[in-house]
């Protein structure tokens, strides 16, 4: 039973804890300010979860730019397509989530927060423009903010591939 409660992550330094929280604050504040003052929709709930990866575990393969942007785009595009042709039913939503995860895995663009995008799409029934604003623009903005933030903090992001 102990294995269910044992933490796999190492103890973070106080600097890592502060950096993670501050980075997420900066990213969501920037998207929120742009949404409010530039009248551009750039926020969806899954972006909060993306910030967990981008700022707490930036070296994770799941946090890399291709995964963040690609995962959000794939999951949203699949969900918009299925939402347009399938009835409003529990199984349609489940299919959208399952298919999104399968395609992200097959293309090596897995980004766990993007698994929530089908829930957003099916709950709000947005138009095709949702793919551009907030999904693509917001995901790109998060990656740019994370790259600048980590550079200023002296961290490597994105990771260099050997």
């Amino acid at each position: 039973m102990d294995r269910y409660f044992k933490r796999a992550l190492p103890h973070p330094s106080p600097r890592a804890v502060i950096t993670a929280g501050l980075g997420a604050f900066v990213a969501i504040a920037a998207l929120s300010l742009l949404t409010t003052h530039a009248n551009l929709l750039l926020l969806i709930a899954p972006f909060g979860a993306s910030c967990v990866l981008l700022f707490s575990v930036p070296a994770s393969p799941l946090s890399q730019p291709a995964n963040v942007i690609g995962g959000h785009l794939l999951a949203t595009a699949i969900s918009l397509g299925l939402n347009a042709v399938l009835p409003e039913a529990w199984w349609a939503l489940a299919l959208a989530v399952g298919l999104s995860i399968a395609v992200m895995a097959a293309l090596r663009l897995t980004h766990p927060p993007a698994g929530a995008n089908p829930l957003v799409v099916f709950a709000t029934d947005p138009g095709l423009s949702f793919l551009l604003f907030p999904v693509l623009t917001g995901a790109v903005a998060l990656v740019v903010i994370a790259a600048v933030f980590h550079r200023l903090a002296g961290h490597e992001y994105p990771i260099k591939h050997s």
Side-chain angles (χ1 to χ4, degrees):
M1 186 59 110
D2 205 32
R3 67 182 177 180
Y4 289 100
F5 299 101
K6 187 167 179 92
R7 296 180 194 129
L9 292 172
H11 288 280
S13 69
R15 183 178 190 268
V17 170
I18 291 167
T19 300
L22 185 59
F25 171 83
V26 167
I28 296 301
L31 293 185
S32 184
L33 286 169
L34 286 169
T35 296
T36 303
H37 296 295
N39 206 24
L40 297 171
L41 178 61
L42 295 176
L43 279 176
I44 53 173
F47 287 168
S50 292
C51 284
V52 174
L53 291 172
L54 285 167
F55 298 102
S56 286
V57 286
S60 168
L62 306 175
S63 303
Q64 299 313 299
N67 294 71
V68 175
I69 297 166
H72 279 298
L73 278 177
L74 284 171
T76 302
I78 289 165
S79 302
L80 287 167
L82 291 177
N83 190 44
V85 298
L86 296 178
E88 188 177 317
W90 63 267
W91 59 266
L93 175 58
L95 177 64
V97 172
L99 186 58
S100 294
I101 292 169
V103 172
M104 283 190 285
L107 296 177
R108 297 179 308 129
L109 291 171
T110 301
H111 184 62
N117 290 19
L119 304 175
V120 173
V121 168
F122 275 72
T124 61
D125 195 26
L128 192 56
S129 64
F130 187 76
L131 195 58
L132 181 60
F133 289 101
V135 176
L136 174 62
T137 309
V140 168
L142 282 177
V143 167
V144 169
I145 292 164
V148 170
F149 182 85
H150 285 298
R151 178 159 295 175
L152 293 173
H155 302 142
E156 183 181 336
Y157 179 84
I159 58 172
K160 292 183 178 123
H161 298 283
S162 47

